Amino acid sequence: MTVTSPSSAPASTRPRPGTRTPPRKPKPAPTARGFSPMRLLGMLFVWLFTALNVLILYWLATAMFKTPLEIFNKPFHLPFTWFERGDPFYNLRYAWESAGFGNAFVVTVVLVAVSSVVIVLISAPAAYALTRLGVRGSNPLTSFIAIGMGIPFQTLVIPLFIGMSDLGLTNSLFGMFLVYVALSLPFTVFLLTGFFKSLPDELEEAAAIDGASPFRTFFTVMLPLARGGLITALILNAIGLWNETLLAIVFLTDNANFTLARALFTLYGAASYQSEYGGLIAGVAIVVLPMLVLYLLLARRIITGLTLGAGK
């Protein structure tokens, strides 16, 4: 048995001096090699889940215009009775006026908007300081903030209620504002740290050479570059606070201070007693549909922002 040395290989197969060896052809991705049972199963699950959600949305959109009899007897038929009587918006009017959803809608919009803006205004400088200023102990502090995301806020309800009662802030919109901001800061700071880490160092160094202070660099250079992350954080906080129910049930007792979720909880008991199921479903639609429309309009921006922050 003879062993052929590299020097004895044919001249046509040996690379010439100074020539570059071509790179290996990359292997195709597992999903590109043809039929994959797991991929087919995953796609089937996604489409079934999507179809179920579309069906539920269709039922909600039609049931809000139906009488209770139509809701139970013809759940997937188009509404007829209220349109025949010339009062198609009876259920919506019942929820808006009789159940106090009009005032709750205004309270929720103002409270969620102010809270979301303040959360981002506090979180942005904090995230910038943790990631760009070289603060001593910034890494352990960032980890400590991330731990706050893993604490279920349900475990904090009783201590929060006792503390808020001692300060006289229960049944107060200002108290709800403080609770919303405090509980949303860990997630928002952690989210924005990813965006500030993704920004190039050269711009910050150029601003320092020009004599800009860290304060001015943050507001004039870095903050505009992180606009996508700020908008993403603002939208995510708005959606989360809009749907918040437990804290509103615990801290709010006056009808004038009810948020939409709190008003819906009260409407559930009254509508069940009066058999106003159409009004109850209309109340659910008033709570759900605004955030659904907002997400559909801004879904691409949210996904792009989260991908940018996670990929750097």
Side-chain angles (χ1 to χ4, degrees):
M1 182 177 180
T2 60
V3 179
T4 303
S5 62
S7 59
S8 62
S12 59
T13 61
R14 294 200 305 266
R16 296 179 179 178
T19 61
R20 185 177 182 182
T21 305
R24 291 187 305 171
K25 185 178 180 181
K27 295 181 179 180
T31 55
R33 296 177 180 176
F35 176 77
S36 173
M38 293 302 298
R39 183 172 183 269
L40 179 62
L41 183 62
M43 292 295 295
L44 180 62
F45 175 78
V46 170
W47 281 110
L48 287 177
F49 183 75
T50 303
L52 177 62
N53 281 273
V54 171
L55 182 63
I56 294 174
L57 182 61
Y58 165 78
W59 177 84
L60 178 66
T62 56
M64 61 188 293
F65 298 104
K66 293 180 179 180
T67 62
L69 188 62
E70 286 181 303
I71 292 174
F72 290 103
N73 293 341
K74 301 177 181 179
F76 297 106
H77 288 67
L78 293 175
F80 176 75
T81 303
W82 288 127
F83 286 89
E84 184 184 29
R85 297 178 183 178
D87 193 10
F89 300 104
Y90 171 82
N91 293 329
L92 289 170
R93 190 172 64 253
Y94 171 83
W96 192 264
E97 298 176 357
S98 301
F101 269 58
N103 179 73
F105 186 86
V106 176
V107 170
T108 304
V109 169
V110 174
L111 180 61
V112 169
V114 174
S115 300
S116 300
V117 171
V118 172
I119 290 168
V120 174
L121 289 178
I122 297 175
S123 301
Y128 177 74
L130 291 173
T131 55
R132 313 293 300 197
L133 296 184
V135 179
R136 180 179 299 179
S138 58
N139 291 333
L141 186 58
T142 304
S143 302
F144 180 76
I145 293 175
I147 292 175
M149 298 169 52
I151 301 176
F153 74 92
Q154 292 86 350
T155 61
L156 304 175
V157 170
I158 295 178
L160 277 175
F161 183 81
I162 295 174
M164 299 287 283
S165 298
D166 294 339
L167 296 174
L169 294 177
T170 55
N171 194 30
S172 167
L173 293 179
F174 180 70
M176 285 298 300
F177 162 76
L178 294 178
V179 172
Y180 282 171
V181 171
L183 294 180
S184 302
L185 283 177
F187 165 76
T188 311
V189 171
F190 185 78
L191 176 67
L192 292 180
T193 53
F195 289 96
F196 283 110
K197 285 181 180 179
S198 67
L199 300 180
D201 298 333
E202 290 78 7
L203 296 175
E204 195 173 17
E205 294 172 356
I209 293 174
D210 291 338
S213 63
F215 182 83
R216 183 179 178 183
T217 302
F218 169 68
F219 279 100
T220 61
V221 179
M222 310 305 286
L223 199 60
L225 293 176
R227 180 176 56 184
L230 300 177
I231 295 176
T232 300
L234 185 68
I235 296 172
L236 292 178
N237 277 291
I239 294 175
L241 296 180
W242 182 279
N243 297 320
E244 196 285 316
T245 305
L246 177 60
L247 295 176
I249 293 174
V250 173
F251 289 101
L252 300 178
T253 57
D254 190 358
N255 292 342
N257 295 331
F258 278 3
T259 61
L260 278 175
R262 181 68 176 87
L264 180 62
F265 182 80
T266 303
L267 176 62
Y268 173 76
S272 301
Y273 180 77
Q274 300 173 1
S275 298
E276 286 287 351
Y277 297 106
L280 177 61
I281 295 175
V284 174
I286 294 174
V287 176
V288 172
L289 292 182
M291 287 299 104
L292 178 61
V293 173
L294 178 65
Y295 182 80
L296 291 177
L297 293 176
L298 302 175
R300 184 180 297 275
R301 177 178 289 274
I302 295 174
I303 295 173
T304 302
L306 288 176
T307 304
L308 176 63
K312 296 291 185 180

